[in-house]
Amino acid sequence: MKAGLRELKRAGFKLTPQRRAILETLKSSGKHMSVEEIHEKVKTKCPHAGLATTYRTLDLLKELNLVTDINLGEEHKHYEWKRRHHYHLVCLECGDVVEFRSNFAIKIEKNVLKDYDFEITDRHVEFCGYCSRCAGGREG
Amino acid sequence: MKAGLRELKRAGFKLTPQRRAILETLKSSGKHMSVEEIHEKVKTKCPHAGLATTYRTLDLLKELNLVTDINLGEEHKHYEWKRRHHYHLVCLECGDVVEFRSNFAIKIEKNVLKDYDFEITDRHVEFCGYCSRCAGGREG
DNA sequence: ATAATAAATGAGAATAATTCTCAACTAGGG
DNA sequence: CCCTAGTTGAGAATTATTCTCATTTATTAT
């Protein structure tokens, strides 16, 4: 059984078409999506799907540690299928969101465990600033 | 002139009692506060202060890069006076928020500049999980 | 398969944080 | 001290999210 469905099942939740659709949408898209975007996509598979179910299911998937929510600026929330040590750069000028990885990310987390005795299960790391294209225009 | 007021002035904004109070409240508290908390504190200095002004001023201070907003869980937004390389650990059990610093934080940012040609001006780094007290209870 | 049942859904109402509107007020320059 | 553009307060408006509840459905045992 596919990852995601497996965890839902194991935790005693029913595998409804709506849940399958939401899960599949996020997993296959491979990027962050707003609740509305997810809902629109889900409706192509389940035309009667209600928005509340999308909210409920995303909460559930978050609870099960399968998805993460990211906050881009101030607007509405975005979700994405969880991946390890995968952070975000958000350009304040063009709004572009670039993923990044750093070897130091792992070291920071070891630091946190060792120095603060804190066990990390989820991460929200967004660095905001200016991407190469936009930085140029700002200062000559 | 004090830091904060200086930047407001320089950018051409008026130094109203409300702005002074909001700025001073955040700066002197030294920790993150919700908009309501800030507003309550401000009202002890300016009893007629409106909530909208607190929202407007926090937006303004953020615009000027003097404060950062942090997202603790799902609730309403929190703000704090900006400090360098100062991140957060959020315990999912007791809700406690601990600040942390890591030498690797600086290295990550150098990585980002070098490898992604991205100029960081603001950071939102929250690691969620379980603090030492709560981690124990969870698994025996 | 089919029935029994606890869980899940859809639709829209309810909520709560944030933003907007606009008349009245005020900081700061001259 | 006056003028004026910028700022404020109060409450209405907006908008994302949550709640309610009657109806439907996935799953388990028969």
Side-chain angles (χ1 to χ4, degrees):
Chain A
M1 185 176 287
K2 281 186 187 174
L5 295 180
R6 199 190 311 129
E7 287 80 356
L8 271 174
K9 185 96 186 179
R10 186 183 300 153
F13 294 102
K14 293 183 178 174
L15 301 185
T16 65
Q18 293 87 336
R19 284 175 176 166
R20 288 170 190 271
I22 291 165
L23 201 147
E24 196 50 35
T25 297
L26 256 184
K27 243 177 95 172
S28 68
S29 112
K31 55 186 175 58
H32 52 89
M33 300 176 80
S34 71
V35 179
E36 280 298 341
E37 284 169 346
I38 295 166
H39 183 57
E40 283 311 308
K41 199 77 182 268
V42 162
K43 278 204 293 190
T44 65
K45 291 178 183 172
C46 309
H48 294 292
L51 182 56
T53 296
T54 302
Y55 275 103
R56 279 186 292 235
T57 303
L58 288 169
D59 270 0
L60 180 57
L61 294 177
K62 209 182 102 181
E63 205 72 31
L64 294 174
N65 223 4
L66 294 168
V67 305
T68 317
D69 55 331
I70 62 179
N71 283 286
L72 309 169
E74 321 314 308
E75 339 112 36
H76 34 70
K77 216 175 282 176
H78 286 238
Y79 287 87
E80 68 178 7
W81 195 255
K82 199 176 258 191
R83 283 179 286 160
R84 289 183 63 73
H85 303 296
H86 153 213
Y87 302 152
H88 290 106
L89 302 176
V90 183
C91 180
L92 298 172
E93 188 71 30
C94 65
D96 231 39
V97 180
V98 177
E99 300 174 7
F100 83 95
R101 289 163 162 278
S102 167
N103 294 328
F104 293 117
I106 294 162
K107 297 191 175 177
I108 280 195
E109 302 206 2
K110 281 187 182 159
N111 248 200
V112 167
L113 183 61
K114 189 158 145 295
D115 299 347
Y116 296 85
D117 198 10
F118 189 98
E119 179 197 338
I120 295 171
T121 60
D122 198 11
R123 298 118 186 112
H124 296 115
V125 179
E126 290 125 40
F127 288 148
C128 309
Y130 299 91
C131 71
S132 50
R133 274 173 305 160
C134 296
R138 288 206 315 142
E139 46 203 359
Chain B
M1 184 176 286
K2 283 186 186 173
L5 296 182
R6 199 191 310 129
E7 286 81 355
L8 271 174
K9 185 96 185 180
R10 187 183 299 152
F13 294 105
K14 291 183 181 174
L15 302 186
T16 65
Q18 293 88 336
R19 284 176 178 165
R20 286 169 191 271
I22 292 166
L23 201 147
E24 196 50 35
T25 297
L26 257 183
K27 242 177 97 173
S28 68
S29 113
K31 55 188 178 55
H32 51 88
M33 301 175 80
S34 71
V35 178
E36 280 298 341
E37 284 168 344
I38 296 167
H39 183 55
E40 283 311 308
K41 199 75 182 271
V42 163
K43 277 203 292 190
T44 66
K45 291 179 185 173
C46 308
H48 294 293
L51 183 56
T53 296
T54 302
Y55 275 103
R56 278 186 292 233
T57 303
L58 288 169
D59 270 1
L60 179 57
L61 294 176
K62 210 182 99 182
E63 205 71 32
L64 294 173
N65 223 5
L66 293 168
V67 305
T68 318
D69 54 331
I70 63 180
N71 284 284
L72 309 170
E74 319 315 307
E75 339 109 37
H76 34 72
K77 215 174 282 176
H78 285 239
Y79 286 87
E80 68 178 8
W81 195 256
K82 198 175 258 189
R83 284 180 284 159
R84 289 184 63 73
H85 303 298
H86 154 211
Y87 302 154
H88 290 106
L89 303 175
V90 183
C91 179
L92 297 172
E93 190 70 29
C94 65
D96 231 37
V97 180
V98 177
E99 301 174 6
F100 82 96
R101 286 163 163 280
S102 168
N103 294 327
F104 294 115
I106 295 162
K107 296 191 175 174
I108 278 197
E109 302 205 2
K110 280 187 182 159
N111 248 199
V112 166
L113 183 61
K114 189 159 144 294
D115 298 349
Y116 296 86
D117 197 8
F118 189 98
E119 179 197 338
I120 295 172
T121 60
D122 197 12
R123 300 116 185 113
H124 297 115
V125 178
E126 290 124 41
F127 288 149
C128 309
Y130 299 92
C131 70
S132 50
R133 277 173 303 162
C134 296
R138 290 204 317 140
E139 46 204 1

